[in-house]
Amino acid sequence: MVPVMLALLVCVLWSVPVGAEPITASIIVSLKAAGIAAGTAAVIASAAVYLVGALASFALSAIMRPGAPRAPELIRDLARPQSLPPYRYVYGRARVSGSPAPMLVRGRLLCLCIILNSRPSNAFEELYLDKRAVGWSGDPYDFTTGGGALITSEPFSSGILGLIGAENRFWIGLGNQTSPPADLLAAFPELAATDGWQGRTVLWAQLNAGPNERRAEIWPRTPPEVEVVIQGCRVWDPADIAQDPDNEATWTWTPNRALCLLDALRTNPVRPYPLAQIHLPSFLAARASDAATVAKLGGTESRYRADGVLIWTDRELEDQVAPLVDAGGSRLVRIGGKLGLTEGVWIAPTVTIDEVLDEGLSFQRWKPGRDLATTVAATYLAPARDWQMAAVPPYRVPGAQAADGGPEVVRDLALPMVTSPTQAQRLAKITAFRNRAQRRLEFVVPPRFLNLVAGVNVTVSLPAPYAAMNGTYEVVSAAPRLIPEQDDAVAASMSVELLETSAAVFAWDPATEEQAVDEGEPVVATPSAIAAPTGLTLVPGETFATGETILPAIRVQVNAPTDARAQWLDAEWRVGSGGWVALPSLEYDWQGAPATTSVFIVPAEPGVTYEVRARWAALGQASAWVSGSVVAGAPSVSLSAPIDGTVGGATSNSIDVSFRLPNQPEVRGIRFYFATVGATSSATLLAGPIFAGANQVVGITATGLAPSTQYYFWARTVGPFDALSNYSDSVTTTTAADGGGE
């Protein structure tokens, strides 16, 4: 009630109208209930989680979910004074309608605090008051002595108001502010130093009502509608080893749709997913598929960029993040009991299903005609049209109308997180082709297909009488079936659900399929006018960790751009004369002004020569490429030496030796060494590598030794990529005299 009452007071004074049980545990309970011994059940459960990787795979369909709020509805909700301003996240670059926090009035002066983003943001770009662009001078980030930013454009300038010393000013807090601006604390004693909204992106403003005769002209709305264009939340990029998933200060800003979706799932206030419940490799793959794509008139743009606002409510989380999912032409799936993401590009099948079991087979050849759309009409958020939803030309599936007969069937596709008309057109085609996929297949396959997971594409090539079902399919769900047999044994099979797909779903020819959109921002030809990158450095032997898996990587690093027009870094790599592979485009943070910018090739095969090229780019512009090459190296892995060495059981020609491996996830095995002197410089390999896990005791018997001789033994830990630890401390004993101990 307080903000509403304050809004009414302003009207009078200004004289204007008013998470889940662990999967392994669940499997163990089920197996024990079926009569399987507890120990065996635990082994089966662990093996199933590790090998199958798809214990409960499913696709989260968007067909039945409630419609996402449209942009005008979001603006109304955000701009309305409320006791609890809506909790919102801003991703990419977007124009945000601010939510008024409590306001203060002193005479003709209004003190406004407008919440723009419920989290810190990357940068501020533009300000609009009652739909009018605002010019300013000064530093809007200066909360101390600089007076913030002075509004200089009419009708808000001091010359118009005639009130020197009470000018219209504003300040932007990107989340690192600790209190309100010093000038407002002095002018409004009711404010407290603790009212800074630390951790949120806010706009503070001092606004003057102005002369009575011009008040309605200057301020047609009370309180004024405040809109700001900002670069929103910084998000965690798992491919950047310098970023800590638990430390937001290390994250970077990017409009990459997959990374924004990952952030929304991990940090939302509704039901945040812990990292352990997210299938990170699938998000990394989708992140890479969001690389640049070519436009009809030349130049490139991000394939799946996300720009917009998510307002968090009590609806189902999957419904609330649906705009981010839809912006990438992908789906949320379950992989190994974790939430994963399919890629929004065509991935050719690598698995052929040529055998099925005679149980549970179901085949749908045709959908009901009423469910098939011939046309998809997409709308997107158009910056050139005051950030309102605008339509792109409808996508009509070639030949669909003639094949179906009857009237045109149109399906609407709202894309509130998409600001590119060409991206919207590509997504309309993907939606249309997916809608017309009719063949659905369910069956049980033998255990050799236990590696199937939701989201991958497969080829079905079955003999008669199943040949009519053959084709290319997407795995919608894949679940293992574990059936107890005699002697505590278990038979395994896989129940899969497939949906027809093809490369045509994602194929896009800008020359013939992209249509001009007058109300959108045109993509212009690409002149090579931006200054090229400097200081290209290729660093092999970097590491990227995913759980207990360590992947080798190559760092591609360039110096900060020297051209102020540069907005992002494009980088590509290839091996030999193969085609160029694009790395995810990296937005450059001018606000943070980093000295260098890096992207990573993950994984990089040790010993292979990679050719790399990079360039700076902006919308419709790009620099010349700079290139280099590097031989990928194995990453450096830090390992502790084995401990607790023991010797015993000495005979005249043999000695028993054992060591305990360190308790480190990187441990892969052990090597044993020996010598007749106590110096590692004389050590000779005795055995290994012997593969073993962390904290295990490994023992061997050294044979063929000389009688009555003192021997020294050492061990070294073996890690990934043949990494070795230092030598352990030595242990020593003497063999028995000839004939002794035998």
Side-chain angles (χ1 to χ4, degrees):
M1 288 297 295
V2 173
V4 177
M5 294 177 65
L6 285 172
L8 294 173
L9 176 60
V10 172
C11 294
V12 173
L13 292 175
W14 280 32
S15 302
V16 297
V18 205
E21 181 185 19
I23 294 172
T24 304
S26 299
I27 298 174
I28 292 173
V29 171
S30 300
L31 292 175
K32 290 173 67 178
I36 305 299
T40 304
V43 173
I44 294 171
S46 299
V49 172
Y50 179 75
L51 295 176
V52 177
L55 296 176
S57 305
F58 66 89
L60 301 175
S61 173
I63 296 176
M64 300 301 294
R65 67 172 180 246
R70 294 175 297 176
E73 296 169 347
L74 294 177
I75 291 173
R76 287 196 298 270
D77 288 342
L78 291 174
R80 185 174 66 248
Q82 302 177 58
S83 58
L84 291 175
Y87 206 80
R88 91 293 309 272
Y89 289 175
V90 181
Y91 288 113
R93 177 181 182 269
R95 192 161 96 180
V96 185
S97 293
S99 299
M103 298 169 285
L104 299 173
V105 177
R106 181 171 292 275
R108 296 175 181 266
L109 292 182
L110 171 66
C111 171
L112 269 181
C113 179
I114 304 294
I115 300 174
L116 305 171
N117 189 359
S118 298
R119 289 170 53 189
S121 297
N122 188 62
F124 155 77
E125 293 185 6
E126 302 169 13
L127 171 64
Y128 296 82
L129 292 176
D130 294 331
K131 304 296 184 182
R132 293 167 291 183
V134 170
W136 73 87
S137 63
D139 183 3
Y141 303 109
D142 186 353
F143 273 47
T144 55
T145 59
L150 174 66
I151 297 178
T152 57
S153 57
E154 297 185 6
F156 311 108
S157 68
S158 59
I160 294 294
L161 298 176
L163 295 170
I164 304 300
E167 305 95 339
N168 292 317
R169 296 180 177 272
F170 71 95
W171 297 258
I172 297 290
L174 293 177
N176 58 350
Q177 72 280 356
T178 58
S179 70
D183 287 359
L184 293 183
L185 286 173
F188 295 85
E190 304 94 325
L191 277 179
T194 56
D195 294 336
W197 294 90
Q198 187 174 4
R200 288 173 170 78
T201 305
V202 296
L203 176 142
W204 287 91
Q206 172 187 279
L207 302 179
N208 195 310
N212 291 337
E213 62 274 14
R214 298 205 57 194
R215 194 166 300 169
E217 172 195 349
I218 300 172
W219 306 110
R221 299 183 60 177
T222 302
E225 181 184 10
V226 179
E227 296 172 287
V228 174
V229 176
I230 60 174
Q231 295 175 10
C233 301
R234 295 183 176 96
V235 299
W236 175 53
D237 184 351
D240 184 354
I241 60 176
Q243 297 187 32
D244 181 348
D246 298 319
N247 183 2
E248 190 170 351
T250 65
W251 303 351
T252 55
W253 175 82
T254 176
N256 182 284
R257 184 268 330 188
L259 295 183
C260 292
L261 175 58
L262 175 63
D263 179 85
L265 292 170
R266 292 182 62 237
T267 66
N268 71 84
V270 179
R271 180 167 54 90
Y273 275 83
L275 196 55
Q277 295 180 11
I278 294 177
H279 188 259
L280 197 56
S282 65
F283 281 86
L284 285 170
R287 167 193 183 276
S289 74
D290 287 359
T293 186
V294 177
K296 182 175 183 177
L297 299 180
T300 61
E301 65 176 8
S302 295
R303 180 180 282 115
Y304 300 130
R305 177 175 173 140
D307 299 277
V309 184
L310 288 185
I311 298 180
W312 299 108
T313 67
D314 57 358
R315 293 191 305 150
E316 286 293 326
L317 175 63
E318 287 77 11
D319 294 333
Q320 297 191 62
V321 301
L324 287 171
V325 179
D326 294 344
S330 57
R331 295 170 175 153
L332 289 174
V333 295
R334 291 283 177 180
I335 303 175
K338 299 181 179 182
L339 190 66
L341 182 67
T342 63
E343 297 184 59
V345 296
W346 172 248
I347 305 296
T350 59
V351 175
T352 298
I353 298 177
D354 53 7
E355 178 185 4
V356 297
L357 304 180
D358 292 328
E359 57 180 310
L361 190 147
S362 172
F363 179 57
Q364 172 191 287
R365 181 63 186 90
W366 305 108
K367 270 184 181 179
R370 63 180 179 274
D371 295 336
L372 295 178
T374 62
T375 303
V376 171
T379 54
Y380 73 107
L381 192 62
R385 296 193 62 186
D386 199 33
W387 294 82
Q388 299 296 309
M389 297 298 286
V392 296
Y395 181 82
R396 294 178 170 85
V397 181
Q401 180 101 29
D404 295 353
E408 183 180 40
V409 179
V410 181
R411 177 179 175 181
D412 294 327
L413 175 64
L415 299 168
M417 298 294 289
V418 173
T419 57
S420 162
T422 51
Q423 181 179 341
Q425 291 180 66
R426 286 184 274 111
L427 291 169
K429 178 182 179 180
I430 292 172
T431 302
F433 271 66
R434 278 180 168 164
N435 172 264
R436 295 189 66 82
Q438 301 192 67
R439 306 204 313 168
R440 184 178 293 269
L441 185 58
E442 297 181 43
F443 48 49
V444 178
V445 294
R448 62 190 177 94
F449 296 107
L450 286 176
N451 62 335
L452 288 179
V453 297
V456 303
N457 298 323
V458 298
T459 300
V460 175
S461 180
L462 300 174
Y466 307 114
M469 298 183 291
N470 291 342
T472 305
Y473 293 81
E474 178 185 357
V475 178
V476 177
S477 67
R481 297 155 55 97
L482 303 176
I483 305 174
E485 293 189 340
Q486 294 181 353
D487 300 324
D488 208 20
V490 172
S493 60
M494 175 74 80
S495 177
V496 296
E497 180 182 0
L498 308 178
L499 180 63
E500 179 184 20
T501 190
S502 70
V505 174
F506 299 98
W508 180 259
D509 182 2
T512 59
E513 296 182 285
E514 182 180 322
Q515 301 185 56
V517 181
D518 294 336
E519 62 266 40
E521 295 180 331
V523 179
V524 298
T526 304
S528 296
I530 296 178
T534 60
L536 176 64
T537 305
L538 307 177
V539 184
E542 297 275 352
T543 59
F544 176 78
T546 303
E548 295 186 2
T549 302
I550 298 177
L551 301 176
I554 296 173
R555 179 193 295 266
V556 180
Q557 179 176 294
V558 298
N559 293 336
T562 57
D563 194 320
R565 292 168 295 175
Q567 295 181 10
W568 66 80
L569 180 72
D570 288 335
E572 300 177 349
W573 63 269
R574 68 179 179 182
V575 174
S577 58
W580 289 99
V581 179
L583 294 172
S585 296
L586 181 67
E587 300 286 337
Y588 183 69
D589 182 7
W590 282 99
Q591 182 66 32
T596 60
T597 298
S598 298
V599 293
F600 293 85
I601 301 173
V602 181
E605 185 177 351
V608 173
T609 300
Y610 287 76
E611 185 179 357
V612 182
R613 64 182 185 180
R615 68 180 182 182
W616 288 111
L619 185 63
Q621 301 181 39
S623 75
W625 293 100
V626 296
S627 60
S629 62
V630 65
V631 177
S636 175
V637 180
S638 178
L639 296 167
S640 299
I643 58 174
D644 300 339
T646 63
V647 290
T651 70
S652 62
N653 59 8
S654 67
I655 298 173
D656 295 334
V657 186
S658 70
F659 283 89
R660 181 182 296 276
L661 285 163
N663 191 18
Q664 293 177 304
E666 297 83 7
V667 170
R668 299 292 183 270
I670 190 171
R671 288 186 179 185
F672 289 87
Y673 299 82
F674 77 116
T676 56
V677 295
T680 56
S681 59
S682 300
T684 300
L685 180 65
L686 175 63
I690 299 172
F691 295 104
N695 206 34
Q696 290 188 10
V697 176
V698 182
I700 63 168
T701 299
T703 60
L705 306 179
S708 303
T709 305
Q710 184 177 11
Y711 284 91
Y712 295 84
F713 298 90
W714 300 266
R716 300 176 75 178
T717 304
V718 178
F721 308 102
D722 296 323
L724 291 173
S725 71
N726 293 328
Y727 285 90
S728 68
D729 293 337
S730 65
V731 292
T732 182
T733 190
T734 301
T735 54
D738 193 9
E742 294 187 31

